[in-house]
Amino acid sequence: MNQKPSHKRNAFQEIEQTISESFDQWAPTVPRGCSADRLFRLFLSALKAKPTLVDCDRESIFQAFRDCVASGLDVGGELAPAYLASYSNKLKFGISYRGYLELAHRAGQVKTIRVEAVRSGDLFQFTPSAEDPIVHTWSDDQNRDELGVSHVYAQLVKSCGGVEVEVWSRYRIDKHKEQHVRDWSSKSSKWSTEWLQMAKKTVILALLRSGRVHLSPDNQGAE
């Protein structure tokens, strides 16, 4: 039996009140340059947008909020840098690949960073020892965006000079997915609905965690 709208509304109000009353505890953990009020407002909006999320374990909801605050990233729709998702009745705060790009830029040591997919028909060459290690020319096929992906790579140019690159084949990405994501085959999994976005996130995260790029403690966020 579906729960009454009043139950959802009451649960949402309790969550909002609890977080609001603990403002003095979590507000100081917000990264510099980010707005505590904005993060609070967007988090609540994301909960309200998917009413079933309020049924998640209450402590997991508060932990997801703490993770959101620690990252300083906005939660929201498809193009937002972060999102909320439910797994086994636990609410999780997730960071999209766009969010990881934002964290990298925020660290202050990044001049430019890009994440690209190599598709069938593209000219692609990766030479790790070269000054410019990646040569990638897109195919002029009008249907290029519908062609298969062979590799995904992240290329980061440091503000102090130097280039860092991470290149993964589709086989490696899918192997990683199968080994580390429990519900990757579920129809509701982002690996099923947004494979390329998740692949980009995997590769940029691998680069940022490689130790070759410095991120300040404020910018490490949640997984």
Side-chain angles (χ1 to χ4, degrees), residues 115-117 149 151-154 166-168 173 195-196 199-200 203:
V115 188
E116 300 283 356
V149 174
H151 296 78
V152 173
Y153 66 88
E166 193 79 19
V167 179
W168 285 34
I173 292 169
W195 184 91
L196 183 56
K200 288 181 175 181
V203 175

Side-chain angles (χ1 to χ4, degrees), residues 54-94:
V54 300
D55 292 328
C56 289
D57 172 74
R58 192 60 60 88
E59 180 53 38
S60 74
I61 293 176
F62 298 139
Q63 183 58 55
F65 178 71
R66 289 190 288 268
D67 291 340
C68 173
V69 167
S71 74
L73 295 173
D74 295 349
V75 294
E78 294 182 0
L79 299 180
Y83 58 90
L84 300 178
S86 173
Y87 299 100
S88 302
N89 200 42
K90 302 286 187 181
L91 187 67
K92 297 291 185 180
F93 170 77

Side-chain angles (χ1 to χ4, degrees), residues 18-30 35-37 39-41 65-66 69-70:
T18 300
I19 295 176
S20 180
E21 290 176 348
S22 61
F23 182 88
D24 291 341
Q25 298 176 26
W26 58 262
T29 67
V30 174
S35 166
D37 288 336
L39 293 173
F40 178 39
R41 186 172 64 255
F65 178 71
R66 289 190 288 268
V69 167

